[in-house]
Every structure is written in structure tokens, then in C-alpha cells.
Amino acid sequence: MEISKWKETARRLGKGRTARILAIILAAVAGGWLGLAVGASVDTPVGPADIGMSLRPSWGGETVVDVRPLGTLSFDTHNSPVRLSLTINAVHPDAAEEILNNPRWADRLPTIIGQDVTDGLRSLIIRGLLFAVAAGFMTGLLVFRRLSRAAWTGLGSLVMVVVMGGLTALTFNPRSISEPRYTGLLTGVPSLVGNAQSIVTRFSEYRGQLAKLVTNVSQLYEAGSTLPIYDPDPSTIRVLHVSDLHINPIAWNVIKSLKDQFKINLIIDTGDISDHGTSAENEFVEEIGRLGVPYVYVRGNHDAMGTQRAVAKQKNAIVLDGNAATVDGLRIYGIGDPRFTPDKSVQQSDDSSQALTDLGRAQAERIAPPEAPRSASTSSPGRIPTDIVAVHDPTVGRGLSGQVALVLAGHVHQRSTEMLPTGTRLMIQGSTGGAGLRGLEGDEPTPLMASVLYFNKSTHRLQAWDDITVGGLGEQRVEVARHIEPDPGRRILPESTTPPQPTGTITGSPSPIALASGAYVPYASEVSDGRRRGNRAVP
């Protein structure tokens, strides 16, 4: 009997000890997080600027550079539950001017800035540790009202911060510095545009402000991109990929700004520059002649043959429709969309997808990657060495898999990219015109999208690209995200087998999440042209 009582007592004590340990751990975590949130911040000089550094608990680890009032640069630097924030509090004009005017600073400045940043981070980590331990101790004292348990809680907070630091170091991704994201917000438009002005004047003012915003963001992003990242050399070929302008005049403001700020060599438009393909809309394409760079265009399903002829008349315009052109050294093959379907009430046949895929495969017989080894299948004189193929519908682009390194498309008003098994990259652009007037049908206006593609001048292969997203009509928001091509020199292999093609009519539209995840989604040609679920824009 005595033995059973001792066992029962030991069991109760064990349960109580476990509960106390769990309570101490919870108090340590809460106190440590509170300490980081309250005290983990320092101000430190970095070169000619004063930088505020802070550590904050966060479910997603990242580094954020706050450049007020323009916006933020974000980097996915680590995978621990803490965020490092850097804020430019002030720039000393005298010191900045001396650096700019004194050539000797060019060699010394990187070392000085590196040392300043290291010193600031060291002070930040020490301060964060002290505040986390102190907050953990005070939390334990308040919860348990015993010094011994408060000491254990403080020690637990110290362990938590050390583990977070170790996890940050282990998961640090230096590649993230080469793929920054810029997000900006400008909210002063109401004060710039008077309430009594006409809608025409307001729209003109908005276009001007939007162009200034895109210009400022581009300049800031280029400045941030001078960090140790993919840095295009002067010989890099810069291509601006746009699509689906749908006669939105704001698109030209964005294109002109990006063309100037990113020093674009040529523009590729993958169709639907028009909306209904009428002769009255042809005046819209006259802006092409004012851009001052080559403008390569393929016809979309909203563009009539008259639209294509109107584009061809413009200075700088190069229309591709089953033919190729060499522009700034890049060999580009273009395929115009075989359909003309501006009327959304017209239902497409069930075999539309198969017909578009067959079109792509038929056109693929005419081209070959420039580096393809000569064989019975590639030595035909009719095959054209091709670096890029431009199409409107991605379904046509899939039929070109294995015959070219890069296929550019549009049509679905959702940006995505996919590496096909053959090594062909399929890049689908969103709507640079914000889907036209249909972009206003949803709860939020459809954003304007474009991408800057960087090509090596010698190999003609894609090295990196910047995805630019501009808030839709009435918004003043810009985001720029850089992506690095992981294997620019990969070999393009012909398809060994023919993949099964979808059949039947599929309704609905692919979500951005599905497109980004690479899951199978129906392409626009598989959807009754333009029918979209809910409030999404119609291509």
C-alpha cells in the first residue's frame, strides 16, 4: 500500500513539473519576442547616411529596406521567424557630395560601408539579446513571482534568440540579394488633382503622375540593384515584353518610362494591342513611332488584319506573322493568332485548343535553336535559327517546346513562367493595359504588367528578368521583382513523345496561385474566349 501511494505522489509531481516547464518555456518565448519587438533597434551611420536597424518577430523571415516616401525593397534572405528592417533616416548632403566629387572614395566606399553595416548589426544583435533576456526575466517574475523561475525564463529567452540566430545563419540565402522586390505607394494624387477639374484633366494628370512614379521607382530600383547582384554589363541586350494593351493609353506612359529608365533596346508586344479591331482604334498604335526603339509585334485574337497593317505602317514597327527578324542581334520568330474573336458572345469550338497546339507544332518545324547540333532533323535549309518565339496564346507556345530556348506569350492576363521538360522556358505576360476597360469590372482594377528581359549579347540567352507590376487605374503602386535564370546555357532537347492534349470545353480561369505553382490550368484558348469566373478581366 505504501509503495502505491509513493507511485501516485511521484506521478502527480511529474505532471506538475511538466506543466511548470511548459509554462516557463511559454513565458520565455513571449518575453523574448516582446524584448525583440521593443528594444532590438539601433541607429548607425553607414557611409553618408544614418540607418535605422531593427529586429522584429515575423512568421516569414526577410530583410526589408525602407526608403521613405518612395517604398521598400524586400529580400528573402532567411527562413527564421525574425525580420531585419533597415530604414534610411537621413542622408548628409555634404558627405554625399564629397563622395560623389572625390574619385578616391570609389575604392574606399564599399569597404567603409561594409564595416559600418557590420558594426551596426553587431550592436543590434547585442542589444536584442539584452532586451530579450531582460524581458524574459521580467515576464517570469510577473507570472511566477519567484526569482528562480524568472531566472530560468530569462535563460529560456536567451536560448530562443540564440536558436533564431543560428537558424538565420543556417538558412541565409545570398542569392536573394540578386532578386529584390520593390513595392511603392503614392497617396498624394487627390491633393494634386483639384476636385473641380474635369474628368479629362484628371485622367491626364493621373497619367502624368503615374509616369513620374514609374520613373522614380525605376531609378530607385536600379540604385538598389547595384548591390552584389546580377549586374547587366553595357553589352547586355534589354528587351521589354508587353502584351494585351487593349487600347489603354496609360500603357504607353508605363512603356515609355520603362524604356527610358531601363535603357531598353527593343520591345516585344505579344498581341491584343486593340480591343475590337476596328479602324477607329488604329490611331492608338501611332504611339509606336514615338518610342524610338524597335517594336516587334505579333497579332492577338482582338487584333484584326487591319490592326496588323496599321502597326506595320508605324516607324520602328516590325510585324511578325509566320516569319523571323533579327533585331539587335536577337533572332525573333513571330506567329500571329489565327483567330479574330473580339465578340465575347461567340462560343469557341471544342477543338480550339488542339488546333492552336497543332499550329505551334507546325511552325516548330520551321525553326531550330541556333546551337542545335546538325542532324537529319535540323539540317533542312528551311529551318531558321531562332532565339525567341513570340506568340499570343500560350497554347501555341507549348507546341514549340524543344525548338527554342524562350517563348513569349500573353492573352490570359495573368503573368507566369514555366520551364518545360525540353528546356524551353514559356513566359506569359499579364496585361500591360490592365485589361482595358474590362479591368475596371472587378472589385479592384487589374494591374498593368510588363517585364524587362536581359540577354547575353554573345550567347543570346536569357540571363535575368525584372517583373514590373503597376497598380490599375486610380492606384499609385509599383512593384519590381528580379529573377535570375538558373541555367542560361542549358541544352534544348526535342520532345521525344507527344503529351496528351486536353479535350472538351473548360470553363473558368486559372488563378494566380495555380499559375505560380506550375499546376496544370486550362489556357485561354480552352476557355470560351473571354469567359472568366467572377470578376476577373476578359482577355
Side-chain angles (χ1 to χ4, degrees):
M1 192 71 179
E2 290 291 331
I3 295 176
S4 61
K5 287 183 178 180
W6 278 108
K7 287 183 178 180
E8 182 66 25
T9 302
R11 194 161 31 247
R12 290 200 197 99
L13 289 174
K15 290 182 179 179
R17 185 179 296 110
T18 301
R20 285 195 297 272
I21 292 174
L22 289 175
I24 290 173
I25 291 174
L26 290 175
V29 171
W33 277 47
L34 180 62
L36 288 177
V38 172
S41 60
V42 296
D43 292 327
T44 184
V46 177
D50 291 335
I51 305 295
M53 298 182 174
S54 64
L55 294 173
R56 294 290 183 269
S58 173
W59 293 116
E62 63 178 350
T63 298
V64 178
V65 181
D66 189 351
V67 190
R68 300 175 183 176
L70 294 177
T72 60
L73 281 168
S74 301
F75 306 87
D76 292 326
T77 51
H78 55 278
N79 291 324
S80 62
V82 64
R83 181 176 69 178
L84 171 63
S85 298
L86 306 176
T87 304
I88 301 178
N89 294 328
V91 177
H92 302 290
D94 295 340
E97 185 176 0
E98 181 181 354
I99 290 172
L100 292 174
N101 295 332
N102 191 340
R104 291 179 297 177
W105 276 97
D107 296 328
R108 298 170 53 194
L109 189 60
T111 302
I112 293 174
I113 290 179
Q115 186 60 49
D116 289 343
V117 171
T118 301
D119 293 343
L121 288 174
R122 185 183 297 113
S123 299
L124 179 64
I125 292 171
I126 293 173
R127 185 179 175 89
L129 281 171
L130 293 176
F131 268 83
V133 172
F137 180 83
M138 293 302 299
T139 301
L141 195 60
L142 290 173
V143 172
F144 303 112
R145 300 185 182 279
R146 292 178 59 178
L147 286 175
S148 60
R149 293 186 184 177
W152 280 109
T153 306
L155 180 61
S157 298
L158 175 62
V159 171
M160 181 200 78
V161 175
V162 171
V163 169
M164 289 171 57
L167 186 60
T168 300
L170 289 174
T171 61
F172 177 69
N173 177 24
R175 180 187 173 91
S176 66
I177 305 300
S178 66
E179 298 184 344
R181 299 185 310 277
Y182 180 86
T183 303
L185 179 65
L186 182 65
T187 57
V189 175
S191 63
L192 297 174
V193 183
N195 294 328
Q197 293 174 314
S198 67
I199 187 63
V200 176
T201 306
R202 287 172 185 244
F203 184 71
S204 176
E205 184 70 21
Y206 167 73
R207 288 182 62 185
Q209 291 298 324
L210 184 63
K212 291 179 182 178
L213 172 65
V214 174
T215 299
N216 291 339
V217 168
S218 301
Q219 290 173 339
L220 177 62
Y221 182 73
E222 283 294 297
S225 295
T226 58
L227 296 169
I229 62 161
Y230 166 73
D231 187 14
D233 61 57
S235 67
T236 299
I237 305 172
R238 303 177 182 224
V239 177
L240 180 63
H241 179 203
V242 302
S243 190
D244 297 85
L245 273 63
H246 287 291
I247 63 170
N248 186 347
I250 295 176
W252 293 124
N253 294 71
V254 174
I255 290 172
K256 290 174 184 176
S257 178
L258 295 176
K259 185 262 297 185
D260 293 336
Q261 298 306 315
F262 285 89
K263 300 178 177 62
I264 296 299
N265 298 103
L266 67 118
I267 299 170
I268 297 180
D269 183 340
T270 48
D272 276 1
I273 196 171
S274 183
D275 206 13
H276 295 87
T278 63
S279 58
E281 296 172 272
N282 290 343
E283 184 178 348
F284 175 76
V285 307
E286 294 178 359
E287 291 291 333
I288 293 174
R290 304 185 181 103
L291 294 174
V293 295
Y295 193 96
V296 180
Y297 161 86
V298 294
R299 187 180 66 253
N301 65 297
H302 282 253
D303 302 329
M305 290 302 298
T307 306
Q308 178 169 298
R309 289 190 292 268
V311 172
K313 293 178 182 178
Q314 306 308 313
K315 181 182 178 182
N316 308 317
I318 301 170
V319 173
L320 299 180
D321 189 8
N323 59 316
T326 299
V327 187
D328 273 1
L330 292 177
R331 289 158 287 199
I332 308 169
Y333 188 89
I335 306 171
D337 198 291
R339 305 161 299 175
F340 177 52
T341 54
D343 187 353
K344 300 298 169 282
S345 64
V346 177
Q347 297 291 324
Q348 297 297 297
S349 62
D350 292 346
D351 61 353
S352 174
S353 173
Q354 185 62 54
L356 291 173
T357 303
D358 292 342
L359 171 65
R361 288 174 177 163
Q363 293 288 329
E365 295 298 321
R366 301 189 59 194
I367 65 174
E371 72 282 1
R374 291 294 174 182
S375 65
S377 62
T378 61
S379 59
S380 170
R383 286 188 177 267
I384 305 170
T386 303
D387 301 307
I388 308 169
V389 174
V391 301
H392 180 62
D393 195 309
T395 311
V396 178
R398 284 185 167 272
L400 295 148
S401 178
Q403 295 302 116
V404 68
L406 179 65
V407 177
L408 302 181
H411 188 58
V412 297
H413 297 179
Q414 294 285 356
R415 177 195 286 136
S416 66
T417 182
E418 179 183 358
M419 182 68 74
L420 302 178
T422 60
T424 296
R425 179 176 289 281
L426 175 63
M427 298 186 75
I428 305 172
Q429 188 58 266
S431 173
T432 311
L437 292 177
R438 287 181 300 280
L440 302 176
E441 294 176 354
D443 296 332
E444 296 181 357
T446 302
L448 286 68
M449 298 182 182
S451 299
V452 178
L453 316 180
Y454 302 91
F455 292 86
N456 183 281
K457 193 173 183 65
S458 300
T459 65
H460 301 167
R461 284 297 186 91
L462 180 69
Q463 305 293 306
W465 67 95
D466 293 335
D467 285 334
I468 298 103
T469 305
V470 182
L473 183 61
E475 294 186 351
Q476 293 279 353
R477 172 181 56 83
V478 177
E479 179 177 321
V480 185
R482 172 157 292 177
H483 308 275
I484 306 298
E485 180 63 82
D487 185 14
R490 66 190 180 278
R491 186 177 177 184
I492 311 303
L493 301 173
E495 285 190 321
S496 57
T497 58
T498 302
Q501 297 298 318
T503 58
T505 301
I506 303 174
T507 59
S509 70
S511 69
I513 295 175
L515 287 167
S517 66
Y520 171 75
V521 292
Y523 288 96
S525 59
E526 302 171 38
V527 182
S528 175
D529 183 38
R531 298 296 180 184
R532 291 288 181 266
R533 182 184 297 125
N535 294 323
R536 296 307 305 166
V538 188

